[in-house]
Amino acid sequence: MRCKFLILTVLILPIILSCTAFKPKIAKVETVLDNTSGAMPADFIDNETLWWNIFDSPEISVFMDKAFGNNFDIKAAYYRIKQAQASYRKSYSNYYPSADLTMERSYNEQKKENFNVVTTDTWSLGLNVSYEADIWGQTRAEAESAALQIEINRYNLTGSALILSTDIAKTWIDIIANKIKLNTLTEQLRLNRDIYSILEERYYNSMAALIDLYQQESVIANIQSQIDDTISEIKQLKQSLNVLTGTHPGAKISIDTKKLPVIRPIPEDGLPVSMLRNRPDLKASWLNVQSAAWNVSSAKADRLPSLKLTGSYNYSDERLSNIFDNWALNLAGSLIAPIIDGGFRKAEVERTKAVLQEAVMTYKQDALNAVKEAETALLNENKYVKRIKNTEERLTIAKKSLIEAERRYYSGISDYTTVLNERLNIIELKSSLTEFRSARIKSRIDLYKAAGGKIPELNEILKEAENGRTAKK
């Protein structure tokens, strides 16, 4: 038996040594990132500190910490990593032999011609071992592809955390802006009621028409409707913020920040490409290209002969106590070569090549979208910066007009309605200013998302997702 095994080894070993494993050859993929440049200072987007530190607000930091520990999308992404890790272990297990232990008992009764019954009770114990040599690198290719899937899911988790953080920041900004808007509308309502009182007095003195009262009542009703809508909007935004932080929508939530945060101006020279390369979705997209390349190698290796070594130890006896006394040993080796499969394996190679090209095209498109998102965020912020400047200039003029209206009123040249109208104009301009400032801040948030802004380290997010608690930053 040993001689046969030695001969088999001598025959097969040269085949193994002469084989060359398939490895993917990935050429550099040119994208729009290689042809885009910008001169924005590298320290404009600080990749050393959490991106929302630009707001200098402990309040939003609390919401972020709570979200990373409780948000269910983050937890789902965490378990996708666990799935990928298990899949990798399954693929890597093919490097090792497999062994199966079997134990059987057979009971047989047979009647003879003399009506005697012969009973046979047999025990059998066996150990089967098999191992398939990875002569073409198929096992390695599958394991490498599975390992890359782990990293892809890690970057997907990082991307999910980044998107979550920007959604929280935008919601927080919207709540603050709507609270400011509510205060503005309340002041508008008070002033319009004052105007109504003046018009009412003038009507009774036959100095104003009844239609003036009706028009003013319509204005008051419209403002009251806006107040009701704004209160409802704040409640909905708070519900959204609760959901983002993994809390019941109806839970009580407090937003104590009264003013919109001040952010520094953006440089005029654009965003450097190096910032965009930090995006987790781009890193995941590139790893997906590499994973697809390894799958091509696996499909190619599957078309070639495979070497499988098997060994078995078996023994049968009528007495269980004798089962371990003697064993029968069998060793074998087989070289299996696909001959006819209807073109299945060839088609699989072509399919994996097409999947690889799809991954390359997707990566290029992702890079293109990244540049577009960054450029759109920059354009939007510049647009709102101009609107803010224009509104501030109009507000300055409106304040001067109010001073002149008050001077004319105290001089007896005009009535108080003119003064109230100027105050209403100022309030409306302030409301527009709040709207443009919040829109500018949200454009900056989009810019940080487009540039892959800094979020907590992945191990901290994983720890929070696993334990369902808030980790200290």
Side-chain angles (χ1 to χ4, degrees):
M1 180 66 67
R2 292 181 179 177
C3 182
K4 291 182 179 179
F5 182 70
L6 181 61
I7 293 173
L8 181 65
T9 304
V10 171
L11 291 174
I12 294 177
L13 187 59
I15 299 176
I16 298 176
L17 296 176
S18 64
C19 296
T20 302
F22 287 102
K23 294 181 181 180
K25 297 179 181 179
I26 307 175
K28 182 181 178 181
V29 178
E30 295 287 340
T31 68
V32 67
L33 298 180
D34 300 305
N35 303 313
T36 306
S37 62
M40 182 183 293
D43 62 348
F44 175 72
I45 296 181
D46 184 5
N47 286 319
E48 299 300 323
T49 59
L50 303 178
W51 75 262
W52 54 85
N53 285 347
I54 61 171
F55 301 128
D56 193 23
S57 169
E59 186 174 68
I60 193 173
S61 296
V62 171
F63 289 130
M64 295 295 183
D65 290 346
K66 185 178 180 182
F68 292 138
N70 298 332
N71 183 270
F72 294 108
D73 287 335
I74 294 297
K75 292 182 179 182
Y78 162 74
Y79 285 110
R80 283 194 289 272
I81 293 176
K82 300 291 286 184
Q83 293 174 46
Q85 290 173 335
S87 296
Y88 169 70
R89 289 194 295 271
K90 285 172 60 179
S91 299
Y92 196 80
S93 66
N94 293 329
Y95 277 115
Y96 301 95
S98 64
D100 299 308
L101 181 65
T102 60
M103 177 177 281
E104 297 180 357
R105 181 188 180 187
S106 62
Y107 183 81
N108 184 40
E109 289 186 354
Q110 186 177 5
K111 291 184 179 181
K112 301 296 184 178
E113 293 182 357
N114 56 3
F115 299 102
N116 292 331
V117 177
V118 178
T119 303
T120 304
D121 191 2
T122 306
W123 291 85
S124 64
L125 183 68
L127 177 65
N128 300 317
V129 180
S130 64
Y131 173 71
E132 185 172 344
D134 189 28
I135 56 178
W136 305 111
Q138 182 177 13
T139 299
R140 181 193 173 187
E142 292 174 351
E144 291 289 346
S145 179
L148 288 170
Q149 289 299 320
I150 298 176
E151 296 306 312
I152 289 171
N153 280 282
R154 287 180 179 273
Y155 282 123
N156 287 340
L157 172 58
T158 305
S160 296
L162 177 59
I163 293 173
L164 174 64
S165 68
T166 56
D167 288 344
I168 289 173
K170 284 185 176 181
T171 306
W172 179 69
I173 290 295
D174 282 337
I175 292 174
I176 297 172
N178 275 277
K179 289 176 70 176
I180 296 173
K181 179 182 177 181
L182 182 60
N183 293 334
T184 302
L185 288 171
T186 302
E187 188 176 356
Q188 276 185 316
L189 183 63
R190 180 182 62 80
L191 288 174
N192 275 281
R193 282 175 175 168
D194 290 343
I195 292 175
Y196 181 83
S197 298
I198 293 173
L199 288 174
E200 187 177 37
E201 182 179 353
R202 294 181 65 184
Y203 170 72
Y204 289 130
N205 292 325
S206 300
M207 299 175 64
L210 182 60
I211 192 173
D212 294 335
L213 288 176
Y214 290 153
Q215 289 176 344
Q216 190 61 25
E217 286 177 356
S218 177
V219 171
I220 291 173
N222 181 51
I223 295 175
Q224 185 61 59
S225 177
Q226 292 183 56
I227 289 175
D228 295 338
D229 290 345
T230 303
I231 292 174
S232 177
E233 179 69 13
I234 291 173
K235 290 180 179 179
Q236 292 179 27
L237 287 168
K238 287 185 175 181
Q239 288 179 346
S240 298
L241 189 56
N242 274 330
V243 171
L244 289 170
T245 55
T247 310
H248 188 280
K252 185 178 180 180
I253 185 172
S254 177
I255 306 292
D256 298 325
T257 305
K258 310 233 179 255
K259 296 181 179 180
L260 289 171
V262 178
I263 55 176
R264 59 174 172 162
I266 196 168
E268 298 178 356
D269 298 324
L271 187 71
V273 172
S274 59
M275 296 290 182
L276 300 181
R277 297 187 189 279
N278 293 325
R279 288 175 56 122
D281 61 334
L282 280 183
K283 292 181 178 180
S285 185
W286 173 243
L287 289 180
N288 195 51
V289 172
Q290 297 181 45
S291 177
W294 278 108
N295 288 335
V296 173
S297 297
S298 175
K300 287 181 177 179
D302 192 41
R303 298 189 66 190
L304 299 176
S306 61
L307 174 63
K308 191 171 185 179
L309 304 177
T310 60
S312 62
Y313 296 82
N314 296 283
Y315 184 69
S316 299
D317 199 282
E318 294 183 0
R319 297 183 60 187
L320 181 63
S321 58
N322 296 333
I323 204 73
F324 296 100
D325 292 344
N326 296 294
W327 288 70
L329 171 64
N330 292 306
L331 294 175
S334 61
L335 190 64
I336 303 172
I339 300 177
I340 300 175
D341 62 0
F344 175 84
R345 290 176 174 81
K346 182 179 180 181
E348 179 63 14
V349 172
E350 296 302 319
R351 188 193 69 83
T352 54
K353 286 182 177 179
V355 171
L356 173 58
Q357 291 304 312
E358 178 190 5
V360 171
M361 295 303 110
T362 300
Y363 174 65
K364 289 187 174 184
Q365 185 63 44
D366 289 343
L368 195 62
N369 291 338
V371 174
K372 176 182 176 295
E373 289 174 11
E375 293 292 339
T376 299
L378 287 169
L379 289 172
N380 284 337
E381 180 162 352
N382 288 329
K383 175 181 68 177
Y384 289 118
V385 165
K386 293 177 181 177
R387 289 187 179 181
I388 290 170
K389 182 179 179 181
N390 178 265
T391 306
E392 287 175 339
E393 292 174 353
R394 292 172 59 194
L395 184 59
T396 300
I397 296 172
K399 288 180 179 179
K400 293 179 180 179
S401 297
L402 175 60
I403 294 174
E404 178 61 20
E406 289 176 340
R407 186 191 67 78
R408 291 172 64 84
Y409 168 71
Y410 290 122
S411 301
I413 301 175
S414 63
D415 57 23
Y416 193 61
T417 306
T418 305
V419 175
L420 291 178
N421 286 331
E422 290 298 334
R423 288 182 178 177
L424 282 173
N425 185 35
I426 290 175
I427 291 173
E428 290 174 357
L429 288 171
K430 286 182 178 179
S431 179
S432 297
L433 200 55
T434 299
E435 179 183 345
F436 295 148
R437 283 173 176 169
S438 65
R440 180 204 170 193
I441 293 172
K442 288 192 288 185
S443 296
R444 179 66 63 86
I445 293 172
D446 287 336
L447 180 60
Y448 273 86
K449 182 172 73 170
K454 172 75 173 179
I455 61 171
E457 294 297 329
L458 181 60
N459 59 345
E460 294 182 9
I461 300 175
L462 290 174
K463 189 175 182 180
E464 292 175 8
E466 183 179 11
N467 298 333
R469 64 173 180 81
T470 302
K472 294 182 179 179
K473 297 288 183 294

